[in-house]
Amino acid sequence: MSYCTLSNWTTTEWSDDMEALARDKYVPMIMAVGASGVQMIRTGENSFSVVTQYADEATAMAAQEKIAAIRGAATEEMPMSMNDKSGGAVFASG
């Protein structure tokens, strides 16, 4: 059964450069540690959510230490902070 994590973020600014950095640097980094998909979704003027999919819970749990390091690097490189995070097994999708 697949597993997803969700993190919610706030930034102090938004720019095309930040979007490019997320797309060109951070999405590939997340994929490289075991994710099968990543969506970064702008949810407000200065907020976004990251949904990360994994093949299963074991893969997700094995990646979490590396994901924490990626999150730390992102908050040092861009003016943002993580508000909360959660995760769970996918029980229905379309």
Side-chain angles (χ1 to χ4, degrees), residues 6-89:
L6 171 68
S7 56
N8 297 299
W9 297 79
T10 302
T11 68
T12 57
E13 62 182 79
W14 197 278
S15 70
D16 290 342
D17 289 341
M18 288 173 59
E19 286 186 16
L21 190 60
R23 181 181 53 252
D24 300 337
K25 179 178 180 179
Y26 287 99
V27 167
M29 288 174 74
I30 295 166
M31 297 294 292
V33 299
S36 57
V38 180
Q39 286 80 42
M40 295 187 177
I41 306 154
R42 189 168 185 179
T43 57
E45 184 176 336
N46 288 321
S47 61
F48 66 100
S49 296
V50 180
V51 178
T52 307
Q53 298 88 25
Y54 298 91
D56 52 45
E57 184 174 2
T59 303
M61 293 303 107
Q64 290 312 296
E65 187 174 323
K66 293 174 184 170
I67 292 294
I70 292 168
R71 288 174 176 149
T75 59
E76 289 179 15
E77 190 166 11
M78 293 180 277
M80 60 188 209
S81 59
M82 186 170 63
N83 302 326
D84 57 60
K85 62 180 179 171
S86 60

